[in-house]
PDB file of all heavy atoms in Angstrom:
ATOM      1  N   LEU A1657       7.103  -4.588  11.024  1.00 98.00           N
ATOM      2  CA  LEU A1657       7.623  -3.359  11.609  1.00 98.00           C
ATOM      3  C   LEU A1657       7.087  -2.106  10.848  1.00 98.00           C
ATOM      4  O   LEU A1657       7.125  -0.993  11.395  1.00 98.00           O
ATOM      5  CB  LEU A1657       9.144  -3.332  11.566  1.00 98.00           C
ATOM      6  CG  LEU A1657       9.905  -4.560  12.236  1.00 98.00           C
ATOM      7  CD1 LEU A1657      11.413  -4.417  11.974  1.00 98.00           C
ATOM      8  CD2 LEU A1657       9.553  -4.574  13.721  1.00 98.00           C
ATOM      9  N   ALA A1658       6.717  -2.277   9.575  1.00 98.00           N
ATOM     10  CA  ALA A1658       6.196  -1.246   8.782  1.00 98.00           C
ATOM     11  C   ALA A1658       5.154  -1.868   7.862  1.00 98.00           C
ATOM     12  O   ALA A1658       5.182  -3.071   7.573  1.00 98.00           O
ATOM     13  CB  ALA A1658       7.198  -0.544   7.956  1.00 98.00           C
ATOM     14  N   ILE A1659       4.158  -1.081   7.472  1.00 99.00           N
ATOM     15  CA  ILE A1659       3.093  -1.612   6.606  1.00 99.00           C
ATOM     16  C   ILE A1659       3.026  -0.607   5.371  1.00 99.00           C
ATOM     17  O   ILE A1659       2.887   0.565   5.558  1.00 99.00           O
ATOM     18  CB  ILE A1659       1.746  -1.622   7.308  1.00 99.00           C
ATOM     19  CG1 ILE A1659       1.734  -2.574   8.575  1.00 99.00           C
ATOM     20  CG2 ILE A1659       0.616  -2.068   6.315  1.00 99.00           C
ATOM     21  CD1 ILE A1659       0.446  -2.604   9.368  1.00 99.00           C
ATOM     22  N   PHE A1660       3.146  -1.202   4.172  1.00 99.00           N
ATOM     23  CA  PHE A1660       3.152  -0.374   2.949  1.00 99.00           C
ATOM     24  C   PHE A1660       1.812  -0.457   2.307  1.00 99.00           C
ATOM     25  O   PHE A1660       1.162  -1.548   2.202  1.00 99.00           O
ATOM     26  CB  PHE A1660       4.223  -1.000   2.005  1.00 99.00           C
ATOM     27  CG  PHE A1660       5.682  -0.786   2.584  1.00 99.00           C
ATOM     28  CD1 PHE A1660       6.216  -1.757   3.389  1.00 99.00           C
ATOM     29  CD2 PHE A1660       6.316   0.322   2.305  1.00 99.00           C
ATOM     30  CE1 PHE A1660       7.485  -1.571   3.886  1.00 99.00           C
ATOM     31  CE2 PHE A1660       7.568   0.558   2.786  1.00 99.00           C
ATOM     32  CZ  PHE A1660       8.220  -0.473   3.606  1.00 99.00           C
ATOM     33  N   VAL A1661       1.244   0.762   1.970  1.00 98.00           N
ATOM     34  CA  VAL A1661      -0.068   0.853   1.495  1.00 98.00           C
ATOM     35  C   VAL A1661      -0.139   1.716   0.177  1.00 98.00           C
ATOM     36  O   VAL A1661      -0.246   2.904   0.224  1.00 98.00           O
ATOM     37  CB  VAL A1661      -0.943   1.595   2.617  1.00 98.00           C
ATOM     38  CG1 VAL A1661      -2.431   1.542   2.196  1.00 98.00           C
ATOM     39  CG2 VAL A1661      -0.686   0.978   3.947  1.00 98.00           C
ATOM     40  N   PRO A1662      -0.097   1.028  -0.937  1.00 98.00           N
ATOM     41  CA  PRO A1662      -0.447   1.826  -2.184  1.00 98.00           C
ATOM     42  C   PRO A1662      -1.901   2.224  -2.111  1.00 98.00           C
ATOM     43  O   PRO A1662      -2.770   1.497  -1.732  1.00 98.00           O
ATOM     44  CB  PRO A1662      -0.253   0.726  -3.296  1.00 98.00           C
ATOM     45  CG  PRO A1662       0.570  -0.347  -2.592  1.00 98.00           C
ATOM     46  CD  PRO A1662       0.199  -0.343  -1.213  1.00 98.00           C
ATOM     47  N   GLY A1663      -2.101   3.545  -2.494  1.00 98.00           N
ATOM     48  CA  GLY A1663      -3.469   4.051  -2.338  1.00 98.00           C
ATOM     49  C   GLY A1663      -3.831   5.034  -3.374  1.00 98.00           C
ATOM     50  O   GLY A1663      -3.043   5.462  -4.247  1.00 98.00           O
ATOM     51  N   ALA A1664      -5.111   5.511  -3.308  1.00 96.00           N
ATOM     52  CA  ALA A1664      -5.560   6.594  -4.213  1.00 96.00           C
ATOM     53  C   ALA A1664      -6.862   7.172  -3.587  1.00 96.00           C
ATOM     54  O   ALA A1664      -7.951   7.047  -4.196  1.00 96.00           O
ATOM     55  CB  ALA A1664      -5.880   6.028  -5.560  1.00 96.00           C
ATOM     56  N   PHE A1665      -6.747   7.741  -2.431  1.00 96.00           N
ATOM     57  CA  PHE A1665      -7.890   8.432  -1.775  1.00 96.00           C
ATOM     58  C   PHE A1665      -8.288   9.564  -2.748  1.00 96.00           C
ATOM     59  O   PHE A1665      -7.467  10.150  -3.417  1.00 96.00           O
ATOM     60  CB  PHE A1665      -7.498   9.008  -0.427  1.00 96.00           C
ATOM     61  CG  PHE A1665      -7.663   8.056   0.748  1.00 96.00           C
ATOM     62  CD1 PHE A1665      -7.356   6.691   0.644  1.00 96.00           C
ATOM     63  CD2 PHE A1665      -8.065   8.523   1.974  1.00 96.00           C
ATOM     64  CE1 PHE A1665      -7.465   5.847   1.725  1.00 96.00           C
ATOM     65  CE2 PHE A1665      -8.207   7.622   3.081  1.00 96.00           C
ATOM     66  CZ  PHE A1665      -7.919   6.335   2.899  1.00 96.00           C
ATOM     67  N   ASN A1666      -9.557   9.902  -2.708  1.00 93.00           N
ATOM     68  CA  ASN A1666     -10.072  10.857  -3.594  1.00 93.00           C
ATOM     69  C   ASN A1666     -10.154  12.229  -2.979  1.00 93.00           C
ATOM     70  O   ASN A1666      -9.756  12.423  -1.834  1.00 93.00           O
ATOM     71  CB  ASN A1666     -11.505  10.451  -4.154  1.00 93.00           C
ATOM     72  CG  ASN A1666     -12.465  10.227  -2.992  1.00 93.00           C
ATOM     73  OD1 ASN A1666     -12.732  11.087  -2.236  1.00 93.00           O
ATOM     74  ND2 ASN A1666     -13.021   8.997  -2.910  1.00 93.00           N
ATOM     75  N   MET A1667     -10.675  13.203  -3.706  1.00 93.00           N
ATOM     76  CA  MET A1667     -10.774  14.559  -3.179  1.00 93.00           C
ATOM     77  C   MET A1667     -11.822  14.808  -2.126  1.00 93.00           C
ATOM     78  O   MET A1667     -11.874  15.911  -1.529  1.00 93.00           O
ATOM     79  CB  MET A1667     -10.973  15.511  -4.327  1.00 93.00           C
ATOM     80  CG  MET A1667      -9.870  15.523  -5.428  1.00 93.00           C
ATOM     81  SD  MET A1667      -8.213  16.041  -4.649  1.00 93.00           S
ATOM     82  CE  MET A1667      -8.619  17.730  -4.287  1.00 93.00           C
ATOM     83  N   THR A1668     -12.719  13.806  -1.865  1.00 90.00           N
ATOM     84  CA  THR A1668     -13.597  13.949  -0.716  1.00 90.00           C
ATOM     85  C   THR A1668     -13.027  13.377   0.534  1.00 90.00           C
ATOM     86  O   THR A1668     -12.950  14.013   1.587  1.00 90.00           O
ATOM     87  CB  THR A1668     -14.920  13.252  -1.052  1.00 90.00           C
ATOM     88  OG1 THR A1668     -15.538  13.724  -2.209  1.00 90.00           O
ATOM     89  CG2 THR A1668     -15.938  13.325   0.117  1.00 90.00           C
ATOM     90  N   THR A1669     -12.521  12.151   0.482  1.00 92.00           N
ATOM     91  CA  THR A1669     -11.994  11.433   1.613  1.00 92.00           C
ATOM     92  C   THR A1669     -10.513  11.809   1.929  1.00 92.00           C
ATOM     93  O   THR A1669     -10.056  11.721   3.069  1.00 92.00           O
ATOM     94  CB  THR A1669     -12.089   9.946   1.409  1.00 92.00           C
ATOM     95  OG1 THR A1669     -11.347   9.537   0.278  1.00 92.00           O
ATOM     96  CG2 THR A1669     -13.584   9.499   1.334  1.00 92.00           C
ATOM     97  N   GLY A1670      -9.752  12.240   0.887  1.00 96.00           N
ATOM     98  CA  GLY A1670      -8.354  12.530   1.028  1.00 96.00           C
ATOM     99  C   GLY A1670      -8.137  13.566   2.082  1.00 96.00           C
ATOM    100  O   GLY A1670      -7.370  13.384   3.054  1.00 96.00           O
ATOM    101  N   PRO A1671      -8.665  14.846   1.949  1.00 97.00           N
ATOM    102  CA  PRO A1671      -8.465  15.871   2.896  1.00 97.00           C
ATOM    103  C   PRO A1671      -8.945  15.514   4.268  1.00 97.00           C
ATOM    104  O   PRO A1671      -8.326  15.996   5.228  1.00 97.00           O
ATOM    105  CB  PRO A1671      -9.213  17.043   2.268  1.00 97.00           C
ATOM    106  CG  PRO A1671      -9.417  16.797   0.815  1.00 97.00           C
ATOM    107  CD  PRO A1671      -9.498  15.208   0.786  1.00 97.00           C
ATOM    108  N   ALA A1672     -10.001  14.712   4.304  1.00 96.00           N
ATOM    109  CA  ALA A1672     -10.549  14.416   5.658  1.00 96.00           C
ATOM    110  C   ALA A1672      -9.836  13.295   6.400  1.00 96.00           C
ATOM    111  O   ALA A1672      -9.624  13.331   7.631  1.00 96.00           O
ATOM    112  CB  ALA A1672     -12.069  14.068   5.473  1.00 96.00           C
ATOM    113  N   HIS A1673      -9.434  12.263   5.645  1.00 97.00           N
ATOM    114  CA  HIS A1673      -9.050  11.002   6.322  1.00 97.00           C
ATOM    115  C   HIS A1673      -7.688  10.444   5.963  1.00 97.00           C
ATOM    116  O   HIS A1673      -7.272   9.465   6.709  1.00 97.00           O
ATOM    117  CB  HIS A1673     -10.134   9.944   6.022  1.00 97.00           C
ATOM    118  CG  HIS A1673     -11.470  10.308   6.443  1.00 97.00           C
ATOM    119  ND1 HIS A1673     -12.655   9.926   5.804  1.00 97.00           N
ATOM    120  CD2 HIS A1673     -11.962  11.040   7.532  1.00 97.00           C
ATOM    121  CE1 HIS A1673     -13.697  10.411   6.399  1.00 97.00           C
ATOM    122  NE2 HIS A1673     -13.351  11.106   7.465  1.00 97.00           N
ATOM    123  N   TRP A1674      -7.072  10.881   4.954  1.00 98.00           N
ATOM    124  CA  TRP A1674      -5.798  10.272   4.514  1.00 98.00           C
ATOM    125  C   TRP A1674      -4.752  10.380   5.650  1.00 98.00           C
ATOM    126  O   TRP A1674      -4.294   9.292   6.130  1.00 98.00           O
ATOM    127  CB  TRP A1674      -5.280  10.939   3.200  1.00 98.00           C
ATOM    128  CG  TRP A1674      -3.922  10.560   2.723  1.00 98.00           C
ATOM    129  CD1 TRP A1674      -2.707  11.163   2.913  1.00 98.00           C
ATOM    130  CD2 TRP A1674      -3.605   9.398   1.942  1.00 98.00           C
ATOM    131  NE1 TRP A1674      -1.705  10.555   2.284  1.00 98.00           N
ATOM    132  CE2 TRP A1674      -2.235   9.417   1.729  1.00 98.00           C
ATOM    133  CE3 TRP A1674      -4.343   8.287   1.442  1.00 98.00           C
ATOM    134  CZ2 TRP A1674      -1.568   8.429   0.974  1.00 98.00           C
ATOM    135  CZ3 TRP A1674      -3.686   7.311   0.735  1.00 98.00           C
ATOM    136  CH2 TRP A1674      -2.330   7.382   0.465  1.00 98.00           C
ATOM    137  N   GLU A1675      -4.351  11.461   6.010  1.00 98.00           N
ATOM    138  CA  GLU A1675      -3.275  11.627   7.057  1.00 98.00           C
ATOM    139  C   GLU A1675      -3.787  11.003   8.400  1.00 98.00           C
ATOM    140  O   GLU A1675      -3.026  10.334   9.068  1.00 98.00           O
ATOM    141  CB  GLU A1675      -2.968  13.068   7.252  1.00 98.00           C
ATOM    142  CG  GLU A1675      -1.825  13.334   8.387  1.00 98.00           C
ATOM    143  CD  GLU A1675      -1.499  14.800   8.496  1.00 98.00           C
ATOM    144  OE1 GLU A1675      -1.332  15.475   7.550  1.00 98.00           O
ATOM    145  OE2 GLU A1675      -1.436  15.182   9.669  1.00 98.00           O
ATOM    146  N   LEU A1676      -5.027  11.280   8.742  1.00 98.00           N
ATOM    147  CA  LEU A1676      -5.552  10.778   9.961  1.00 98.00           C
ATOM    148  C   LEU A1676      -5.444   9.248  10.065  1.00 98.00           C
ATOM    149  O   LEU A1676      -5.075   8.680  11.044  1.00 98.00           O
ATOM    150  CB  LEU A1676      -6.995  11.205  10.144  1.00 98.00           C
ATOM    151  CG  LEU A1676      -7.846  10.703  11.349  1.00 98.00           C
ATOM    152  CD1 LEU A1676      -7.147  11.163  12.621  1.00 98.00           C
ATOM    153  CD2 LEU A1676      -9.277  11.119  11.217  1.00 98.00           C
ATOM    154  N   SER A1677      -5.777   8.569   8.955  1.00 98.00           N
ATOM    155  CA  SER A1677      -5.805   7.121   8.938  1.00 98.00           C
ATOM    156  C   SER A1677      -4.390   6.599   9.088  1.00 98.00           C
ATOM    157  O   SER A1677      -4.164   5.623   9.899  1.00 98.00           O
ATOM    158  CB  SER A1677      -6.380   6.598   7.591  1.00 98.00           C
ATOM    159  OG  SER A1677      -7.716   6.961   7.495  1.00 98.00           O
ATOM    160  N   PHE A1678      -3.398   7.147   8.456  1.00 98.00           N
ATOM    161  CA  PHE A1678      -2.000   6.688   8.526  1.00 98.00           C
ATOM    162  C   PHE A1678      -1.489   6.966   9.963  1.00 98.00           C
ATOM    163  O   PHE A1678      -0.747   6.106  10.502  1.00 98.00           O
ATOM    164  CB  PHE A1678      -1.163   7.362   7.463  1.00 98.00           C
ATOM    165  CG  PHE A1678      -1.331   6.648   6.167  1.00 98.00           C
ATOM    166  CD1 PHE A1678      -2.292   7.014   5.258  1.00 98.00           C
ATOM    167  CD2 PHE A1678      -0.518   5.535   5.836  1.00 98.00           C
ATOM    168  CE1 PHE A1678      -2.497   6.340   4.075  1.00 98.00           C
ATOM    169  CE2 PHE A1678      -0.695   4.893   4.631  1.00 98.00           C
ATOM    170  CZ  PHE A1678      -1.667   5.232   3.727  1.00 98.00           C
ATOM    171  N   ARG A1679      -1.797   8.058  10.562  1.00 98.00           N
ATOM    172  CA  ARG A1679      -1.327   8.379  11.898  1.00 98.00           C
ATOM    173  C   ARG A1679      -1.953   7.407  12.901  1.00 98.00           C
ATOM    174  O   ARG A1679      -1.274   6.920  13.833  1.00 98.00           O
ATOM    175  CB  ARG A1679      -1.591   9.860  12.260  1.00 98.00           C
ATOM    176  CG  ARG A1679      -0.835  10.882  11.409  1.00 98.00           C
ATOM    177  CD  ARG A1679      -1.097  12.243  11.943  1.00 98.00           C
ATOM    178  NE  ARG A1679      -0.495  12.482  13.248  1.00 98.00           N
ATOM    179  CZ  ARG A1679      -0.701  13.552  14.019  1.00 98.00           C
ATOM    180  NH1 ARG A1679      -1.467  14.536  13.596  1.00 98.00           N
ATOM    181  NH2 ARG A1679      -0.178  13.632  15.165  1.00 98.00           N
ATOM    182  N   ALA A1680      -3.273   7.086  12.713  1.00 98.00           N
ATOM    183  CA  ALA A1680      -3.954   6.312  13.679  1.00 98.00           C
ATOM    184  C   ALA A1680      -3.446   4.864  13.607  1.00 98.00           C
ATOM    185  O   ALA A1680      -3.170   4.250  14.652  1.00 98.00           O
ATOM    186  CB  ALA A1680      -5.468   6.340  13.366  1.00 98.00           C
ATOM    187  N   ARG A1681      -3.277   4.281  12.439  1.00 98.00           N
ATOM    188  CA  ARG A1681      -2.867   2.929  12.322  1.00 98.00           C
ATOM    189  C   ARG A1681      -1.386   2.812  12.872  1.00 98.00           C
ATOM    190  O   ARG A1681      -1.038   1.825  13.410  1.00 98.00           O
ATOM    191  CB  ARG A1681      -2.922   2.416  10.874  1.00 98.00           C
ATOM    192  CG  ARG A1681      -4.272   2.369  10.227  1.00 98.00           C
ATOM    193  CD  ARG A1681      -5.224   1.315  10.870  1.00 98.00           C
ATOM    194  NE  ARG A1681      -5.901   1.834  12.070  1.00 98.00           N
ATOM    195  CZ  ARG A1681      -6.916   2.651  12.033  1.00 98.00           C
ATOM    196  NH1 ARG A1681      -7.405   3.012  10.869  1.00 98.00           N
ATOM    197  NH2 ARG A1681      -7.485   3.061  13.155  1.00 98.00           N
ATOM    198  N   ALA A1682      -0.558   3.813  12.579  1.00 98.00           N
ATOM    199  CA  ALA A1682       0.807   3.774  13.100  1.00 98.00           C
ATOM    200  C   ALA A1682       0.823   3.849  14.633  1.00 98.00           C
ATOM    201  O   ALA A1682       1.566   3.024  15.268  1.00 98.00           O
ATOM    202  CB  ALA A1682       1.634   5.003  12.484  1.00 98.00           C
ATOM    203  N   LEU A1683       0.053   4.666  15.208  1.00 98.00           N
ATOM    204  CA  LEU A1683      -0.035   4.801  16.604  1.00 98.00           C
ATOM    205  C   LEU A1683      -0.622   3.614  17.321  1.00 98.00           C
ATOM    206  O   LEU A1683      -0.088   3.093  18.270  1.00 98.00           O
ATOM    207  CB  LEU A1683      -0.856   6.118  16.942  1.00 98.00           C
ATOM    208  CG  LEU A1683      -1.146   6.320  18.454  1.00 98.00           C
ATOM    209  CD1 LEU A1683       0.132   6.599  19.225  1.00 98.00           C
ATOM    210  CD2 LEU A1683      -2.112   7.537  18.617  1.00 98.00           C
ATOM    211  N   ASP A1684      -1.764   3.106  16.777  1.00 97.00           N
ATOM    212  CA  ASP A1684      -2.426   1.880  17.314  1.00 97.00           C
ATOM    213  C   ASP A1684      -1.464   0.721  17.397  1.00 97.00           C
ATOM    214  O   ASP A1684      -1.542  -0.076  18.324  1.00 97.00           O
ATOM    215  CB  ASP A1684      -3.624   1.510  16.523  1.00 97.00           C
ATOM    216  CG  ASP A1684      -4.752   2.506  16.594  1.00 97.00           C
ATOM    217  OD1 ASP A1684      -4.728   3.353  17.500  1.00 97.00           O
ATOM    218  OD2 ASP A1684      -5.710   2.453  15.748  1.00 97.00           O
ATOM    219  N   ASN A1685      -0.698   0.503  16.407  1.00 98.00           N
ATOM    220  CA  ASN A1685       0.080  -0.725  16.203  1.00 98.00           C
ATOM    221  C   ASN A1685       1.550  -0.471  16.401  1.00 98.00           C
ATOM    222  O   ASN A1685       2.316  -1.414  16.324  1.00 98.00           O
ATOM    223  CB  ASN A1685      -0.161  -1.349  14.807  1.00 98.00           C
ATOM    224  CG  ASN A1685      -1.583  -1.689  14.713  1.00 98.00           C
ATOM    225  OD1 ASN A1685      -2.126  -2.612  15.315  1.00 98.00           O
ATOM    226  ND2 ASN A1685      -2.374  -0.899  13.859  1.00 98.00           N
ATOM    227  N   GLN A1686       2.057   0.769  16.649  1.00 98.00           N
ATOM    228  CA  GLN A1686       3.420   1.116  16.880  1.00 98.00           C
ATOM    229  C   GLN A1686       4.283   0.562  15.788  1.00 98.00           C
ATOM    230  O   GLN A1686       5.273  -0.146  15.975  1.00 98.00           O
ATOM    231  CB  GLN A1686       3.840   0.586  18.317  1.00 98.00           C
ATOM    232  CG  GLN A1686       3.052   1.295  19.365  1.00 98.00           C
ATOM    233  CD  GLN A1686       3.332   0.694  20.794  1.00 98.00           C
ATOM    234  OE1 GLN A1686       3.292  -0.528  20.916  1.00 98.00           O
ATOM    235  NE2 GLN A1686       3.521   1.591  21.725  1.00 98.00           N
ATOM    236  N   VAL A1687       3.946   0.947  14.600  1.00 98.00           N
ATOM    237  CA  VAL A1687       4.635   0.560  13.359  1.00 98.00           C
ATOM    238  C   VAL A1687       4.808   1.851  12.500  1.00 98.00           C
ATOM    239  O   VAL A1687       4.141   2.891  12.760  1.00 98.00           O
ATOM    240  CB  VAL A1687       3.882  -0.491  12.517  1.00 98.00           C
ATOM    241  CG1 VAL A1687       3.819  -1.801  13.307  1.00 98.00           C
ATOM    242  CG2 VAL A1687       2.538  -0.057  12.082  1.00 98.00           C
ATOM    243  N   PHE A1688       5.683   1.750  11.512  1.00 99.00           N
ATOM    244  CA  PHE A1688       5.704   2.806  10.463  1.00 99.00           C
ATOM    245  C   PHE A1688       4.603   2.434   9.387  1.00 99.00           C
ATOM    246  O   PHE A1688       4.405   1.278   9.113  1.00 99.00           O
ATOM    247  CB  PHE A1688       7.034   2.808   9.772  1.00 99.00           C
ATOM    248  CG  PHE A1688       8.134   3.467  10.516  1.00 99.00           C
ATOM    249  CD1 PHE A1688       8.922   2.632  11.377  1.00 99.00           C
ATOM    250  CD2 PHE A1688       8.374   4.785  10.484  1.00 99.00           C
ATOM    251  CE1 PHE A1688       9.998   3.185  12.048  1.00 99.00           C
ATOM    252  CE2 PHE A1688       9.402   5.376  11.222  1.00 99.00           C
ATOM    253  CZ  PHE A1688      10.187   4.631  12.029  1.00 99.00           C
ATOM    254  N   MET A1689       3.817   3.418   9.003  1.00 99.00           N
ATOM    255  CA  MET A1689       2.852   3.278   7.910  1.00 99.00           C
ATOM    256  C   MET A1689       3.323   4.084   6.767  1.00 99.00           C
ATOM    257  O   MET A1689       3.670   5.232   6.900  1.00 99.00           O
ATOM    258  CB  MET A1689       1.496   3.762   8.377  1.00 99.00           C
ATOM    259  CG  MET A1689       0.802   2.958   9.500  1.00 99.00           C
ATOM    260  SD  MET A1689       0.403   1.259   9.071  1.00 99.00           S
ATOM    261  CE  MET A1689      -0.818   1.542   7.757  1.00 99.00           C
ATOM    262  N   VAL A1690       3.406   3.436   5.560  1.00 99.00           N
ATOM    263  CA  VAL A1690       3.952   4.091   4.368  1.00 99.00           C
ATOM    264  C   VAL A1690       2.871   4.052   3.286  1.00 99.00           C
ATOM    265  O   VAL A1690       2.564   2.950   2.789  1.00 99.00           O
ATOM    266  CB  VAL A1690       5.207   3.369   3.926  1.00 99.00           C
ATOM    267  CG1 VAL A1690       5.757   4.031   2.648  1.00 99.00           C
ATOM    268  CG2 VAL A1690       6.257   3.317   5.060  1.00 99.00           C
ATOM    269  N   GLY A1691       2.343   5.215   2.844  1.00 98.00           N
ATOM    270  CA  GLY A1691       1.294   5.266   1.932  1.00 98.00           C
ATOM    271  C   GLY A1691       1.767   5.980   0.611  1.00 98.00           C
ATOM    272  O   GLY A1691       2.261   7.067   0.735  1.00 98.00           O
ATOM    273  N   CYS A1692       1.655   5.346  -0.561  1.00 98.00           N
ATOM    274  CA  CYS A1692       2.034   5.909  -1.816  1.00 98.00           C
ATOM    275  C   CYS A1692       0.796   6.086  -2.629  1.00 98.00           C
ATOM    276  O   CYS A1692       0.109   5.092  -2.970  1.00 98.00           O
ATOM    277  CB  CYS A1692       3.088   5.115  -2.464  1.00 98.00           C
ATOM    278  SG  CYS A1692       3.667   5.936  -3.961  1.00 98.00           S
ATOM    279  N   SER A1693       0.424   7.322  -2.932  1.00 98.00           N
ATOM    280  CA  SER A1693      -0.736   7.643  -3.697  1.00 98.00           C
ATOM    281  C   SER A1693      -0.474   7.917  -5.146  1.00 98.00           C
ATOM    282  O   SER A1693       0.559   8.323  -5.511  1.00 98.00           O
ATOM    283  CB  SER A1693      -1.434   8.864  -3.070  1.00 98.00           C
ATOM    284  OG  SER A1693      -2.510   9.332  -3.836  1.00 98.00           O
ATOM    285  N   GLN A1694      -1.521   7.748  -5.974  1.00 98.00           N
ATOM    286  CA  GLN A1694      -1.439   8.334  -7.321  1.00 98.00           C
ATOM    287  C   GLN A1694      -1.351   9.912  -7.192  1.00 98.00           C
ATOM    288  O   GLN A1694      -1.881  10.515  -6.273  1.00 98.00           O
ATOM    289  CB  GLN A1694      -2.686   7.975  -8.137  1.00 98.00           C
ATOM    290  CG  GLN A1694      -2.571   6.560  -8.710  1.00 98.00           C
ATOM    291  CD  GLN A1694      -3.353   6.440 -10.029  1.00 98.00           C
ATOM    292  OE1 GLN A1694      -3.443   7.444 -10.831  1.00 98.00           O
ATOM    293  NE2 GLN A1694      -3.838   5.264 -10.357  1.00 98.00           N
TER     294      GLN A1694
END
Side-chain angles (χ1 to χ4, degrees):
L1657 303 176
I1659 301 175
F1660 294 89
V1661 189
F1665 273 38
N1666 58 58
M1667 295 299 293
T1668 302
T1669 60
H1673 300 149
W1674 174 259
E1675 180 181 315
L1676 176 63
S1677 297
F1678 279 88
R1679 293 185 68 187
R1681 296 294 85 77
L1683 176 63
D1684 289 347
N1685 299 289
Q1686 298 175 312
V1687 296
F1688 286 92
M1689 295 293 297
V1690 181
C1692 188
S1693 172
Q1694 281 211 29

